Amino acid sequence: EPEVTQTPSHQVTQMGQEVILRCVPISNHLYFYWYRQILGQKVEFLVSFYNNEISEKSEIFDDQFSVERPDGSNFTLKIRSTKLEDSAMYFCASRGPRTSLLDTQYFGPGTRLTVL
Amino acid sequence: DAKTTQPTSMDCAEGRAANLPCNHSTISGNEYVYWYRQIHSQGPQYIIHGLKNNETNEMASLIITEDRKSSTLILPHATLRDTAVYYCIVRSQGGSEKLVFGKGTKLTVNP
């Protein structure tokens, strides 16, 4: 069964450093998402991406964050200058080619980001 | 999207049915009920969704009351691997595509 994959599984970085989290969505999916979950808290939406553009973003997704689909298979989240409060699990999700907003989103296993 | 209310935690014996309730009393006619679960910090996993009819798949059954103000997710024969946080989410076709997760119900399946 096709699945969303994410690398690395755990990233440790120093405050102020740039990090790139990588995701490979399900191959025929066209809509991509990033969510995050701070330890012990709810899963929070960050951004949605379609046709090489951000279609929606949350207040969390400020200028320090960016997303990119550099090729036909990868989807990345970049944090330019990490802060301690960016420590969280980051989940990538994707959904299929149907245009319905209700189409099921499938999540990857997550990247645990630890900022020291 | 309508707000949902779920119990904080539930317990279930292995092999028994787990019935997880969700209240969505302000749901509107075009809003669907979705269920996801999260097993210990893994990515959320889609389970099932429905509009007004009861639904069943290989993972679970979803029972939606006739007035649609509440629903129940049923895991017919719970196993230890079903221990997870279960999220009930209401979504509409015309709303945002983001999933809004609440605190969910922590289901513990006991041997």
Side-chain angles (χ1 to χ4, degrees):
Chain A
E1 185 177 321
E3 56 186 23
V4 177
T5 59
Q6 291 185 242
T7 54
S9 57
H10 191 186
Q11 173 94 43
V12 181
T13 190
Q14 296 290 326
M15 190 169 56
Q17 295 295 304
E18 174 183 287
V19 294
I20 297 176
L21 309 183
R22 291 183 166 79
C23 167
V24 178
I26 294 172
S27 64
N28 67 337
H29 285 186
L30 300 178
Y31 299 81
F32 314 113
Y33 309 85
W34 284 100
Y35 292 77
R36 80 171 186 189
Q37 186 175 32
I38 294 171
L39 187 63
Q41 298 188 23
K42 301 176 189 177
V43 177
E44 302 173 288
F45 169 80
L46 291 178
V47 66
S48 58
F49 189 85
Y50 168 71
N51 198 24
N52 280 323
E53 289 184 350
I54 290 173
S55 44
E56 186 176 357
K57 61 182 180 179
S58 71
E59 290 179 356
I60 303 168
F61 195 89
D62 61 23
D63 292 344
Q64 292 298 311
F65 291 88
S66 62
V67 288
E68 190 180 28
R69 187 152 163 82
D71 52 43
S73 59
N74 290 285
F75 178 52
T76 62
L77 174 69
K78 182 193 291 186
I79 308 175
R80 261 180 271 286
S81 177
T82 51
K83 303 189 278 285
L84 295 176
E85 53 265 38
D86 293 327
S87 294
M89 282 289 287
Y90 287 81
F91 298 109
C92 173
S94 70
R95 70 176 175 91
R98 294 194 311 162
T99 57
S100 169
L101 295 178
L102 298 176
D103 206 12
T104 299
Q105 294 179 26
Y106 294 92
F107 285 75
T111 293
R112 178 169 297 284
L113 176 65
T114 302
V115 182
L116 303 176
Chain B
D1 295 334
K3 184 180 160 79
T4 62
T5 305
Q6 298 178 252
T8 303
S9 64
M10 293 183 67
D11 283 273
C12 176
E14 189 179 17
R16 304 297 294 269
N19 297 283
L20 294 101
C22 179
N23 184 288
H24 31 79
S25 58
T26 61
I27 195 169
S28 61
N30 67 342
E31 289 183 316
Y32 288 71
V33 180
Y34 277 72
W35 284 84
Y36 278 77
R37 73 180 181 183
Q38 188 176 25
I39 298 172
H40 189 56
S41 295
Q42 295 178 25
Q45 178 189 24
Y46 166 78
I47 302 173
I48 199 167
H49 74 278
L51 180 63
K52 50 185 176 183
N53 297 323
N54 298 337
E55 302 287 345
T56 296
N57 64 19
E58 65 279 2
M59 287 184 70
S61 295
L62 174 60
I63 309 297
I64 302 174
T65 58
E66 195 167 334
D67 64 7
R68 303 186 68 240
K69 291 181 186 298
S70 66
S71 59
T72 301
L73 178 75
I74 302 172
L75 308 178
H77 305 287
T79 70
L80 299 180
R81 288 180 296 180
D82 292 322
T83 292
V85 179
Y86 288 76
Y87 301 100
C88 170
I89 300 171
V90 170
R91 306 180 67 205
S92 67
Q93 175 68 35
S96 165
E97 58 181 315
K98 68 185 178 190
L99 290 170
V100 179
F101 290 85
K103 295 184 179 179
T105 296
K106 170 70 184 202
L107 174 70
T108 302
V109 181
N110 300 302

